[in-house]
Amino acid sequence: MALAFSPSQTAGLQSALAVRPGTLTVLCPLSAVRNGASASARDGRQPRLERVTLLPRNTVALALDSLPANSLIPVEVGFAPNSQGCRRDRMVAFGELVLLYCSSGSGWCESHGSRRLIHAGDLLLVPPRTGYAWGSEAATGCTLFWLRGVGRDPGSVLAQLGLARDSRIEGAGVNGQPRAILEALLERLEVASTPPQLRQASELLSQLLSLFARRHSEVPLADGDIRRRVEQS
């Protein structure tokens, strides 16, 4: 189910998800989350729509009880096409992790007062209990996917993949491979409600994390300059 919400209506979504069955896909004009008026609003063009699919909390709780202890469940997948001049501030809670994937354009991600550039083909992993922000400049634009995963102990999952368990944001150059997985997860979460369906979604997230871990060991991204040096070598 896809619904279009005004900015004021999105405020109560989290509480609504706690009690209603089924998934919810939100289509929100990008102008609602930008700093200032959007170009499309000024010149009369139809605004691009951001797509976000969320699982309700009761579905997540049942899935965690039915899956292995080291499983991660994708509970939110979003897609912001060609966002320009935007900024999002977020906090990854205990028991969660976030993946950010830039499929075109360029943007940035900030954490602990440090900003790194992200380019098309970059995948970032934000570990539990980490505050961060992402966005793009008005002149460049960035098409970005994000995924929020929940589990009993995401830190142990990261450790099994050889990734740090602290609050550092890690990056890897993965080119276009994650897009197909993230698009599949967007579709799956719209209909996922049974344990087998959520198990399939969990397996897709595992594939994405395994891809990240493999590429991170080969081409880690400490910042945007490292990626350019690797490409030039």
Side-chain angles (χ1 to χ4, degrees), residues 99-103 116-125 163 170-179 208 210-224 226-228 230-231:
L99 288 164
L100 302 172
Y101 174 65
C102 176
S103 66
R116 72 166 76 214
L117 299 178
I118 52 177
H119 303 272
D122 288 351
L123 181 65
L124 300 185
L125 171 66
L163 300 169
E170 302 284 359
V174 293
N175 298 319
Q177 296 164 286
R179 178 162 187 151
L208 194 56
S210 296
L211 170 65
F212 177 87
R214 184 171 67 253
R215 291 297 292 156
H216 181 265
S217 66
E218 299 167 354
V219 190
L221 302 179
D223 54 40
I226 283 185
R227 182 175 191 272
R228 285 190 285 274
V230 169
E231 290 177 341

Side-chain angles (χ1 to χ4, degrees), residues 83-163:
S83 58
Q84 296 173 314
C86 71
R87 177 187 176 93
R88 315 288 178 83
D89 291 274
R90 297 286 186 265
M91 179 70 192
V92 183
F94 178 81
E96 297 182 351
L97 57 77
V98 166
L99 288 164
L100 302 172
Y101 174 65
C102 176
S103 66
S104 66
S106 62
W108 49 263
C109 182
E110 290 180 353
S111 182
H112 300 296
S114 176
R115 173 179 287 199
R116 72 166 76 214
L117 299 178
I118 52 177
H119 303 272
D122 288 351
L123 181 65
L124 300 185
L125 171 66
V126 187
R129 293 181 289 187
T130 303
Y132 72 101
W134 68 265
S136 61
E137 304 300 336
T140 58
C142 177
T143 294
L144 190 123
F145 289 82
W146 68 91
L147 180 149
R148 181 166 58 94
V150 170
R152 293 187 182 89
D153 187 4
S156 66
V157 176
L158 298 181
Q160 290 173 11
L161 293 170
L163 300 169

